[in-house]
Amino acid sequence: MGNTESAQLQQRLSRFRPDERNLLDGAFDRLREPPSGAAAGHSGKVLTLDALKANTEGVASASMTSRLFEAMRSTDPGSAAPLHGGVTHEQLLIFLSDVLRGTAVERAPLIRVMSGGATGGVTGCAQIREFLEDLLSAVVHILVLRGQLQGWKPEFMGDSDQGVKLLAEQLTSELKCTDQQTCDLPCLEDWLFRTSAVSLYLEYLTIEGLGVRLPSRPPLVLLPLCQDTPWGELRSLMSLPLLLFLAPQLPRAQSAIWRLLFSTRLHGESFTRLVGNCVRRGPTLLLLRDTHGYTFGGFASHSWETKPQFQGDSRCFLFSVFPSLRVYSCTGYNQHYMYLNQGQQTMPNGLVSFILCAYCVTTESSVSHCNYCMFFHGSQGMGGQHNYFGLWLDSDFGRGHSRARPRCTTYGSPQLSAEEDFTVDSLEVWGVGDPPEDHEQTRGKKSVLDADPEAQAMIEMAGKTLHSQGLREPEEGDTD
């Protein structure tokens, strides 16, 4: 580099430390030379498409590499156009500067070109979605290739190819396109400003695919840490693209560690087991698929507790996965986020409301045998009203409903399942963040009645037998 640098390049390079400028400067010669064993691909003092493909082979698809190349060629270095249709030294530096440290205004023209839009023209939303599918496929591939999976096992998880398409569609839906489904440069700038994930994925691809790692930039970690999950026995509904979508939605402190708490594949179809595995376990994320293939769930921001008050806060949300990937946050209409009930005859709004009858859970009685439950035998629901939840699971495991006409009042969500009343095909619950410190102290409890002595007293006063009492393990320190 020297005094012949254009003003555009000098302004961009001022964002980097001297050692980082040297790193960016050296990227040009490194990328012009093909890797060992590859055919020569450079021509004069430009970077050719063949050389770039040789350097990104096995990391990004040929189509994604071509998109990167066209974006590099589109930058204006303020000097004569390059020979042979290649990328000049200054063009590459401007591209790298805009991707790694640029603004939405500087990145928008690159996105337009990578999506196949003409310079100065508009881009179709369908073209942008195709670009995103290429970009996301490369990101997922690199995560696997580099072993940056944080304990996740894609071979035991959901379909990444389908997840890529769903996430690309979701990101495209954030565009404020015209009625003709086109997007101009200001539209792209606004989109990139509001949707930081696109810039993050492009930066990740540039760092890992082109080998440009800035010393001042901490390594990008796209996936949360997964621990204590028996992968060999599991076929999870979660996929890598779904994790890329869900993890940023969670509060920062609760996206660090994920651990599987319940899975129908591992723990069977038991509502009692589901509740026992989730109470006092910290924030949780529920994910389920109905028998029609619709997939959806919700996030509970607090530990589940058995008490007659609403729980949670405005960080709770519902989400859909298939057929469309969306998140539904609190509307502010009410504060009925979460509710864990024991035998109440009425049931108010709640995000994730586990409605439990202590007597029925303890004895595994049916509704017809319980005088306390009335219509509301134990159940789990998410958002909505009395018998009208955005997401509700019955304690008769496998049954539930998602009702919204037109929207759930708590979360503004539409009907999440294929039909209002659905049958569960598969369900899992993930603990997110660190479990509460007092969890180990409560693991010894054998019954949900232990959490609510008043419920136990009411059942005894009614003359009902506590069937589980004779089946309890003796507590440590008990004497004959």
Side-chain angles (χ1 to χ4, degrees), residues 86-282:
V87 175
T88 66
H89 178 250
E90 285 200 355
Q91 283 182 311
L92 177 64
L93 291 182
I94 291 175
F95 171 83
L96 293 175
S97 298
D98 288 350
V99 170
L100 300 176
R101 293 278 171 83
T103 65
V105 173
E106 292 166 337
R107 289 168 175 160
L110 302 178
I111 299 296
R112 177 174 60 187
V113 172
M114 283 189 281
S115 300
T119 302
V122 297
T123 308
C125 292
Q127 292 176 290
I128 297 173
R129 184 171 65 249
E130 291 173 1
F131 154 68
L132 288 172
E133 289 180 6
D134 260 0
L135 176 61
L136 290 166
S137 294
V139 168
V140 171
H141 178 70
I142 292 172
L143 286 170
V144 177
L145 181 68
R146 299 282 193 257
Q148 299 172 355
L149 296 172
Q150 296 284 90
W152 298 93
K153 303 289 185 181
E155 62 270 29
F156 300 110
M157 299 172 68
D159 185 356
S160 285
D161 291 338
Q162 182 190 67
V164 161
K165 293 182 181 296
L166 291 170
L167 182 51
E169 188 280 329
Q170 187 277 326
L171 290 170
T172 307
S173 73
E174 299 289 337
L175 283 163
K176 297 180 179 178
C177 296
T178 66
D179 293 339
Q180 291 73 37
Q181 291 300 295
T182 59
C183 186
D184 59 12
L185 199 57
C187 172
L188 286 174
E189 292 171 0
D190 171 74
W191 179 57
L192 292 174
F193 182 78
R194 293 182 292 103
T195 313
S196 61
V198 178
S199 296
L200 178 66
Y201 300 147
L202 182 57
E203 180 184 2
Y204 179 77
L205 173 59
T206 301
I207 292 172
E208 296 292 338
L210 303 184
V212 183
R213 296 178 176 84
L214 300 177
S216 64
R217 180 70 157 101
L220 294 179
V221 180
L222 301 186
L223 300 176
L225 184 64
C226 179
Q227 294 181 346
D228 304 326
T229 298
W231 287 111
E233 308 168 38
L234 180 65
R235 178 66 181 180
S236 176
L237 297 174
M238 194 68 67
S239 68
L240 293 184
L242 180 55
L243 274 171
L244 291 175
F245 174 70
L246 287 176
Q249 313 291 338
L250 304 182
R252 183 179 301 273
Q254 294 168 1
S255 62
I257 300 176
W258 290 46
R259 59 203 185 281
L260 185 69
L261 300 180
F262 178 87
S263 167
T264 48
R265 184 178 180 89
L266 299 180
H267 304 107
E269 298 182 351
S270 167
F271 189 78
T272 305
R273 184 72 177 271
L274 168 64
V275 174
N277 285 15
C278 296
V279 170
R280 297 188 183 88
R281 299 301 295 271

Side-chain angles (χ1 to χ4, degrees), residues 237 287-290 293-297 319-324 416:
L237 297 174
L287 179 62
L288 69 94
R289 180 177 61 209
D290 68 19
Y294 278 50
T295 309
F296 44 95
F319 61 88
S320 62
V321 178
F322 184 84
S324 61
L416 302 175

